[in-house]
Structure formats: structure tokens, C-alpha cells
Amino acid sequence: MPELPEVETVRRGLETHLIDLSIIDSTVNYPPIVDHQQEALSALWPQKITAIKRMGKYLIFILTDVSLVIHLRMEGKFYIKSNEPVNKHEHVLFHLSNGLQLRYHDVRKFGRILIKDKTHYLEEKPLNQLALEPVDMPLERFYKATKGRHQAIKTVCLDQHVIAGLGNIYVDETLFLSNIHPEKKANELTKTQAEKILKNAKEVLAFATALGGSTIRSYQSSLGIHGRFQNELRIHMRQNQPCVNCQTLIQKIRVGGRGTYVCPNCQKK
DNA sequence: CCCGTGCCCTGGCGGC
DNA sequence: TGCCGCCAGGGCACGG
């Protein structure tokens, strides 16, 4: 599942390949991906790709007249291909001015590509609902948000309206590094614990981004980029393996419906 | 406002 | 080997 480090890795790859190219046409094979706006999409072209940005787990293509706000969800990825046969999971094709095609590939079909106003996309859903990323988040603001929540801290950290960029992998890593149990009630955190979470979230996201994100299971990065952070995971996907700190066997539990890895000795409720 | 549930979707896997 | 049912989960709609 692409989280902030994987999305940033994708963004950098796309930037390298696409800046200053134009999209001259589009083909939509599965309309829900573009929110059934395939005709509006077709009417846009040509548009030059002037910038590719990222906010939390969203990618934003800045084009001549509009912005495309893209969420890869679980398994969305981009490929750049020439005229190879179209794979059954390639749902949207952008035909580029250099003869190549940017193809959106998504086995689960959960991803979305939304057409937004060029300058007001920040004021519209979904980006107007998006919280700040850990790197930009003032402690006071994060701590205040946790105080109003009776849910498990893991659930709150996954809420993109509270803090942006963390998904299931990096929230498990962050809470492990913070010695906080994922089921701890958010409103019972001390300010020091909130500070630890914020600090560790920043560090783990920065380190993972530097390694090109994680390439695990269903999520393999596109454009030939393979992340290496999966080799650095301390807790996620390590069920029944010894904790790196205390050798206690790591447990897999469910928190808020999510598979969650925890060291019952190191992480306190 | 807050919170829990169900939905979207398909490949992979366990069980028989 | 093949089939069936279940599981994975980010974000959102909906209802209490």
C-alpha cells in the first residue's frame, strides 16, 4: 500500500520522465477510476505537464489548465510504455507528446484520478480535508487532536484528517519506535508521548523515503524503482519473530479493523 | 462532532 | 488439481 514514502518515490520518478511533456489524449478503460469523468477528461487535451506535486498520499499533476489529484489507494501505480499490448489492469492511458503512454495500473481498482481546478484544488475535496504531514505538524496541534479522540492511537494516526502520510506500515513502525501500544486510547497520551510519535513519524518517513519506500507483497513500485525500506522494518510483517529490543515474540492483532504488529513487552498501553 | 460499520475490488491462499 | 470462501485495506458514505 503506497504511503508517503512510496508516493514520494513515485512522484520523483514521474517528475523525471514527464515534466514538460504534453498529454495529447486519454483512454479510459474503467470509468470509476476517473470518477466517470472520462468525457471531461477527453475534452481537456492537449495539456502540458508543468509540475508533479505530492500532499500526504496524494499525487497532483499540475497541467496547463487543470490539476489532476490522484490517489493510488492500495495498488495503484504508473507505467510508461510505448505500444505494448494493454494489460487488463491498465485502466487509464495518457498518450504523451513523445509517442509514449503513461498508464495507470490498479489491480484492485480502488485508486482515483480527479480533475480539479488549476488554482483552487487546495480548497476543494479531498485536499481541503487533508491534515498536515508530520514534518509540518506543530506538536501543540497534534496533541490537541489526540485529546479529542477516544479511539486507539493507531486509528487516530491513520486518520488523514488528523495527520497525513502514515498508513498501516509506517504507523506500526512509528508506534513501536515510540514504545506505545497501538490500542492505547488517544486521549490518554501524555504530551511527551505525542511528541515521541511525531518525532518518530518524521524520522521513519524520512528514512523510508531516502530508501525509495518499501516494496512488499502487493505493492511493487512502478518505473523500475524498488524500495529498500522493507529490509528495515522493525515490527511490521514480523509476526512470531523476536522483538529487536527484547526478543519477545511479536504479535499480530487487529486494531480498528487493521492488521497490527506489536511487541507486547516494549509497547505500553 | 464523534464513532463504528460496510462498501468498493481482485489475487492469493488455506482447506478439503 | 480444482474449487470455494475468506482476507487484505484507504477513504468515504451513512446511520446512531
Side-chain angles (χ1 to χ4, degrees), chain A residues 179-209:
Chain A
N179 299 116
I180 295 168
H181 197 288
E183 287 178 318
K184 185 171 181 72
K185 299 290 180 206
N187 62 338
E188 293 174 358
L189 285 182
T190 65
K191 196 166 181 179
T192 303
Q193 288 177 314
E195 189 173 17
K196 267 193 191 175
I197 291 174
L198 213 44
K199 170 180 167 287
N200 287 314
K202 279 184 233 181
E203 289 184 4
V204 78
L205 292 176
F207 185 33
T209 302

mmCIF file of all heavy atoms in Angstrom, chain A residues 179-209:
data_model
loop_
_atom_site.group_PDB
_atom_site.id
_atom_site.type_symbol
_atom_site.label_atom_id
_atom_site.label_comp_id
_atom_site.label_asym_id
_atom_site.label_seq_id
_atom_site.Cartn_x
_atom_site.Cartn_y
_atom_site.Cartn_z
ATOM 1 N N ASN A 179 7.474 3.191 21.678
ATOM 2 C CA ASN A 179 7.123 2.347 22.842
ATOM 3 C C ASN A 179 5.687 2.567 23.305
ATOM 4 O O ASN A 179 5.407 2.570 24.508
ATOM 5 C CB ASN A 179 8.089 2.591 24.020
ATOM 6 C CG ASN A 179 9.517 2.248 23.659
ATOM 7 O OD1 ASN A 179 10.384 3.109 23.640
ATOM 8 N ND2 ASN A 179 9.757 0.992 23.315
ATOM 9 N N ILE A 180 4.814 2.767 22.334
ATOM 10 C CA ILE A 180 3.402 2.989 22.668
ATOM 11 C C ILE A 180 2.560 1.902 22.008
ATOM 12 O O ILE A 180 2.714 1.622 20.806
ATOM 13 C CB ILE A 180 2.948 4.385 22.201
ATOM 14 C CG1 ILE A 180 3.712 5.450 22.999
ATOM 15 C CG2 ILE A 180 1.436 4.556 22.369
ATOM 16 C CD1 ILE A 180 3.564 6.850 22.450
ATOM 17 N N HIS A 181 1.684 1.297 22.771
ATOM 18 C CA HIS A 181 0.809 0.242 22.250
ATOM 19 C C HIS A 181 -0.228 0.860 21.309
ATOM 20 O O HIS A 181 -0.829 1.882 21.645
ATOM 21 C CB HIS A 181 0.118 -0.463 23.421
ATOM 22 C CG HIS A 181 -0.468 -1.798 23.057
ATOM 23 N ND1 HIS A 181 -1.602 -1.911 22.278
ATOM 24 C CD2 HIS A 181 -0.045 -3.061 23.319
ATOM 25 C CE1 HIS A 181 -1.864 -3.204 22.123
ATOM 26 N NE2 HIS A 181 -0.935 -3.926 22.735
ATOM 27 N N PRO A 182 -0.440 0.232 20.150
ATOM 28 C CA PRO A 182 -1.389 0.799 19.177
ATOM 29 C C PRO A 182 -2.814 0.930 19.708
ATOM 30 O O PRO A 182 -3.579 1.759 19.209
ATOM 31 C CB PRO A 182 -1.332 -0.177 17.995
ATOM 32 C CG PRO A 182 -0.560 -1.367 18.463
ATOM 33 C CD PRO A 182 0.267 -0.947 19.610
ATOM 34 N N GLU A 183 -3.141 0.137 20.724
ATOM 35 C CA GLU A 183 -4.503 0.214 21.280
ATOM 36 C C GLU A 183 -4.637 1.263 22.383
ATOM 37 O O GLU A 183 -5.736 1.448 22.917
ATOM 38 C CB GLU A 183 -4.923 -1.152 21.842
ATOM 39 C CG GLU A 183 -5.226 -2.162 20.751
ATOM 40 C CD GLU A 183 -5.596 -3.534 21.304
ATOM 41 O OE1 GLU A 183 -4.927 -3.982 22.262
ATOM 42 O OE2 GLU A 183 -6.533 -4.136 20.766
ATOM 43 N N LYS A 184 -3.568 1.925 22.707
ATOM 44 C CA LYS A 184 -3.675 2.962 23.742
ATOM 45 C C LYS A 184 -4.655 4.039 23.290
ATOM 46 O O LYS A 184 -4.613 4.488 22.147
ATOM 47 C CB LYS A 184 -2.313 3.589 24.027
ATOM 48 C CG LYS A 184 -2.367 4.585 25.182
ATOM 49 C CD LYS A 184 -0.994 5.050 25.614
ATOM 50 C CE LYS A 184 -1.086 6.029 26.771
ATOM 51 N NZ LYS A 184 -1.481 5.384 28.046
ATOM 52 N N LYS A 185 -5.524 4.440 24.193
ATOM 53 C CA LYS A 185 -6.511 5.463 23.837
ATOM 54 C C LYS A 185 -5.801 6.790 23.542
ATOM 55 O O LYS A 185 -4.955 7.228 24.330
ATOM 56 C CB LYS A 185 -7.510 5.677 24.990
ATOM 57 C CG LYS A 185 -8.304 4.439 25.359
ATOM 58 C CD LYS A 185 -9.301 4.072 24.276
ATOM 59 C CE LYS A 185 -10.101 2.832 24.663
ATOM 60 N NZ LYS A 185 -10.593 2.100 23.483
ATOM 61 N N ALA A 186 -6.176 7.399 22.439
ATOM 62 C CA ALA A 186 -5.502 8.632 22.027
ATOM 63 C C ALA A 186 -5.582 9.711 23.105
ATOM 64 O O ALA A 186 -4.598 10.402 23.371
ATOM 65 C CB ALA A 186 -6.113 9.142 20.727
ATOM 66 N N ASN A 187 -6.726 9.827 23.745
ATOM 67 C CA ASN A 187 -6.896 10.913 24.732
ATOM 68 C C ASN A 187 -6.168 10.644 26.048
ATOM 69 O O ASN A 187 -6.168 11.489 26.930
ATOM 70 C CB ASN A 187 -8.387 11.167 24.992
ATOM 71 C CG ASN A 187 -9.078 9.959 25.577
ATOM 72 O OD1 ASN A 187 -8.607 8.821 25.429
ATOM 73 N ND2 ASN A 187 -10.189 10.184 26.244
ATOM 74 N N GLU A 188 -5.538 9.462 26.153
ATOM 75 C CA GLU A 188 -4.760 9.170 27.367
ATOM 76 C C GLU A 188 -3.264 9.400 27.163
ATOM 77 O O GLU A 188 -2.467 9.172 28.071
ATOM 78 C CB GLU A 188 -5.009 7.718 27.805
ATOM 79 C CG GLU A 188 -6.447 7.486 28.272
ATOM 80 C CD GLU A 188 -6.751 6.018 28.565
ATOM 81 O OE1 GLU A 188 -5.849 5.172 28.364
ATOM 82 O OE2 GLU A 188 -7.887 5.743 28.976
ATOM 83 N N LEU A 189 -2.885 9.853 25.981
ATOM 84 C CA LEU A 189 -1.461 10.116 25.724
ATOM 85 C C LEU A 189 -0.991 11.333 26.510
ATOM 86 O O LEU A 189 -1.720 12.315 26.626
ATOM 87 C CB LEU A 189 -1.232 10.411 24.242
ATOM 88 C CG LEU A 189 -1.272 9.280 23.228
ATOM 89 C CD1 LEU A 189 -0.972 9.846 21.855
ATOM 90 C CD2 LEU A 189 -0.299 8.181 23.571
ATOM 91 N N THR A 190 0.234 11.244 26.998
ATOM 92 C CA THR A 190 0.849 12.442 27.569
ATOM 93 C C THR A 190 1.413 13.276 26.420
ATOM 94 O O THR A 190 1.582 12.778 25.294
ATOM 95 C CB THR A 190 2.017 12.076 28.505
ATOM 96 O OG1 THR A 190 3.047 11.460 27.716
ATOM 97 C CG2 THR A 190 1.561 11.120 29.602
ATOM 98 N N LYS A 191 1.708 14.508 26.726
ATOM 99 C CA LYS A 191 2.287 15.380 25.702
ATOM 100 C C LYS A 191 3.650 14.832 25.247
ATOM 101 O O LYS A 191 4.006 14.918 24.070
ATOM 102 C CB LYS A 191 2.445 16.798 26.242
ATOM 103 C CG LYS A 191 2.677 17.814 25.146
ATOM 104 C CD LYS A 191 2.480 19.210 25.686
ATOM 105 C CE LYS A 191 2.681 20.240 24.601
ATOM 106 N NZ LYS A 191 2.461 21.603 25.107
ATOM 107 N N THR A 192 4.377 14.274 26.172
ATOM 108 C CA THR A 192 5.676 13.677 25.839
ATOM 109 C C THR A 192 5.508 12.511 24.867
ATOM 110 O O THR A 192 6.307 12.344 23.934
ATOM 111 C CB THR A 192 6.376 13.184 27.123
ATOM 112 O OG1 THR A 192 6.499 14.284 28.017
ATOM 113 C CG2 THR A 192 7.753 12.626 26.819
ATOM 114 N N GLN A 193 4.473 11.719 25.073
ATOM 115 C CA GLN A 193 4.220 10.601 24.151
ATOM 116 C C GLN A 193 3.795 11.095 22.768
ATOM 117 O O GLN A 193 4.238 10.556 21.754
ATOM 118 C CB GLN A 193 3.147 9.680 24.741
ATOM 119 C CG GLN A 193 3.654 8.871 25.932
ATOM 120 C CD GLN A 193 2.569 8.015 26.551
ATOM 121 O OE1 GLN A 193 1.443 8.486 26.783
ATOM 122 N NE2 GLN A 193 2.885 6.766 26.819
ATOM 123 N N ALA A 194 2.973 12.124 22.738
ATOM 124 C CA ALA A 194 2.580 12.714 21.453
ATOM 125 C C ALA A 194 3.819 13.241 20.727
ATOM 126 O O ALA A 194 3.960 13.092 19.507
ATOM 127 C CB ALA A 194 1.569 13.842 21.678
ATOM 128 N N GLU A 195 4.712 13.819 21.486
ATOM 129 C CA GLU A 195 5.952 14.358 20.921
ATOM 130 C C GLU A 195 6.819 13.235 20.334
ATOM 131 O O GLU A 195 7.398 13.380 19.253
ATOM 132 C CB GLU A 195 6.717 15.101 22.023
ATOM 133 C CG GLU A 195 7.913 15.886 21.529
ATOM 134 C CD GLU A 195 8.517 16.744 22.642
ATOM 135 O OE1 GLU A 195 8.221 16.491 23.836
ATOM 136 O OE2 GLU A 195 9.272 17.669 22.309
ATOM 137 N N LYS A 196 6.878 12.120 21.059
ATOM 138 C CA LYS A 196 7.631 10.958 20.566
ATOM 139 C C LYS A 196 7.049 10.445 19.249
ATOM 140 O O LYS A 196 7.792 10.125 18.320
ATOM 141 C CB LYS A 196 7.535 9.808 21.593
ATOM 142 C CG LYS A 196 8.635 9.746 22.588
ATOM 143 C CD LYS A 196 8.542 8.371 23.286
ATOM 144 C CE LYS A 196 9.435 8.285 24.491
ATOM 145 N NZ LYS A 196 9.226 7.010 25.210
ATOM 146 N N ILE A 197 5.739 10.345 19.200
ATOM 147 C CA ILE A 197 5.085 9.839 17.992
ATOM 148 C C ILE A 197 5.417 10.738 16.800
ATOM 149 O O ILE A 197 5.790 10.265 15.725
ATOM 150 C CB ILE A 197 3.549 9.756 18.187
ATOM 151 C CG1 ILE A 197 3.209 8.649 19.185
ATOM 152 C CG2 ILE A 197 2.843 9.516 16.856
ATOM 153 C CD1 ILE A 197 1.745 8.573 19.562
ATOM 154 N N LEU A 198 5.307 12.036 17.021
ATOM 155 C CA LEU A 198 5.572 12.986 15.946
ATOM 156 C C LEU A 198 7.031 12.888 15.474
ATOM 157 O O LEU A 198 7.312 12.851 14.274
ATOM 158 C CB LEU A 198 5.261 14.391 16.466
ATOM 159 C CG LEU A 198 4.723 15.440 15.509
ATOM 160 C CD1 LEU A 198 3.640 14.894 14.594
ATOM 161 C CD2 LEU A 198 4.185 16.624 16.315
ATOM 162 N N LYS A 199 7.937 12.818 16.423
ATOM 163 C CA LYS A 199 9.364 12.738 16.106
ATOM 164 C C LYS A 199 9.675 11.445 15.349
ATOM 165 O O LYS A 199 10.371 11.461 14.322
ATOM 166 C CB LYS A 199 10.167 12.785 17.407
ATOM 167 C CG LYS A 199 11.645 12.466 17.265
ATOM 168 C CD LYS A 199 12.346 12.551 18.623
ATOM 169 C CE LYS A 199 13.731 11.946 18.598
ATOM 170 N NZ LYS A 199 13.727 10.467 18.539
ATOM 171 N N ASN A 200 9.154 10.327 15.841
ATOM 172 C CA ASN A 200 9.438 9.045 15.190
ATOM 173 C C ASN A 200 8.762 8.930 13.834
ATOM 174 O O ASN A 200 9.302 8.311 12.914
ATOM 175 C CB ASN A 200 9.046 7.890 16.101
ATOM 176 C CG ASN A 200 10.012 7.733 17.254
ATOM 177 O OD1 ASN A 200 11.228 7.756 17.053
ATOM 178 N ND2 ASN A 200 9.497 7.589 18.469
ATOM 179 N N ALA A 201 7.580 9.518 13.693
ATOM 180 C CA ALA A 201 6.906 9.520 12.392
ATOM 181 C C ALA A 201 7.756 10.280 11.374
ATOM 182 O O ALA A 201 7.979 9.812 10.249
ATOM 183 C CB ALA A 201 5.513 10.149 12.512
ATOM 184 N N LYS A 202 8.260 11.425 11.778
ATOM 185 C CA LYS A 202 9.120 12.217 10.883
ATOM 186 C C LYS A 202 10.336 11.402 10.469
ATOM 187 O O LYS A 202 10.707 11.365 9.290
ATOM 188 C CB LYS A 202 9.620 13.480 11.607
ATOM 189 C CG LYS A 202 8.630 14.612 11.639
ATOM 190 C CD LYS A 202 9.278 15.827 12.297
ATOM 191 C CE LYS A 202 8.417 16.338 13.424
ATOM 192 N NZ LYS A 202 8.950 17.518 14.105
ATOM 193 N N GLU A 203 10.968 10.770 11.451
ATOM 194 C CA GLU A 203 12.210 10.041 11.171
ATOM 195 C C GLU A 203 11.965 8.832 10.284
ATOM 196 O O GLU A 203 12.720 8.583 9.339
ATOM 197 C CB GLU A 203 12.887 9.626 12.490
ATOM 198 C CG GLU A 203 13.464 10.830 13.215
ATOM 199 C CD GLU A 203 14.223 10.458 14.481
ATOM 200 O OE1 GLU A 203 14.377 9.256 14.772
ATOM 201 O OE2 GLU A 203 14.645 11.394 15.172
ATOM 202 N N VAL A 204 10.922 8.078 10.591
ATOM 203 C CA VAL A 204 10.688 6.850 9.825
ATOM 204 C C VAL A 204 10.266 7.190 8.392
ATOM 205 O O VAL A 204 10.698 6.534 7.438
ATOM 206 C CB VAL A 204 9.683 5.922 10.559
ATOM 207 C CG1 VAL A 204 8.252 6.361 10.392
ATOM 208 C CG2 VAL A 204 9.855 4.481 10.102
ATOM 209 N N LEU A 205 9.476 8.243 8.235
ATOM 210 C CA LEU A 205 9.068 8.635 6.878
ATOM 211 C C LEU A 205 10.270 9.148 6.075
ATOM 212 O O LEU A 205 10.415 8.837 4.892
ATOM 213 C CB LEU A 205 7.966 9.702 6.930
ATOM 214 C CG LEU A 205 6.606 9.242 7.468
ATOM 215 C CD1 LEU A 205 5.645 10.413 7.557
ATOM 216 C CD2 LEU A 205 6.009 8.124 6.621
ATOM 217 N N ALA A 206 11.126 9.917 6.740
ATOM 218 C CA ALA A 206 12.298 10.454 6.035
ATOM 219 C C ALA A 206 13.265 9.342 5.636
ATOM 220 O O ALA A 206 13.761 9.310 4.499
ATOM 221 C CB ALA A 206 13.009 11.480 6.923
ATOM 222 N N PHE A 207 13.489 8.410 6.554
ATOM 223 C CA PHE A 207 14.407 7.301 6.274
ATOM 224 C C PHE A 207 13.849 6.417 5.165
ATOM 225 O O PHE A 207 14.558 6.046 4.214
ATOM 226 C CB PHE A 207 14.649 6.500 7.562
ATOM 227 C CG PHE A 207 15.667 5.401 7.433
ATOM 228 C CD1 PHE A 207 16.761 5.520 6.578
ATOM 229 C CD2 PHE A 207 15.543 4.241 8.189
ATOM 230 C CE1 PHE A 207 17.698 4.501 6.472
ATOM 231 C CE2 PHE A 207 16.478 3.218 8.095
ATOM 232 C CZ PHE A 207 17.556 3.344 7.227
ATOM 233 N N ALA A 208 12.558 6.102 5.263
ATOM 234 C CA ALA A 208 11.936 5.254 4.236
ATOM 235 C C ALA A 208 11.956 5.941 2.868
ATOM 236 O O ALA A 208 12.206 5.301 1.849
ATOM 237 C CB ALA A 208 10.502 4.911 4.640
ATOM 238 N N THR A 209 11.716 7.237 2.858
ATOM 239 C CA THR A 209 11.747 7.975 1.598
ATOM 240 C C THR A 209 13.148 7.939 0.990
ATOM 241 O O THR A 209 13.318 7.753 -0.215
ATOM 242 C CB THR A 209 11.286 9.432 1.804
ATOM 243 O OG1 THR A 209 9.967 9.428 2.346
ATOM 244 C CG2 THR A 209 11.279 10.197 0.478
#
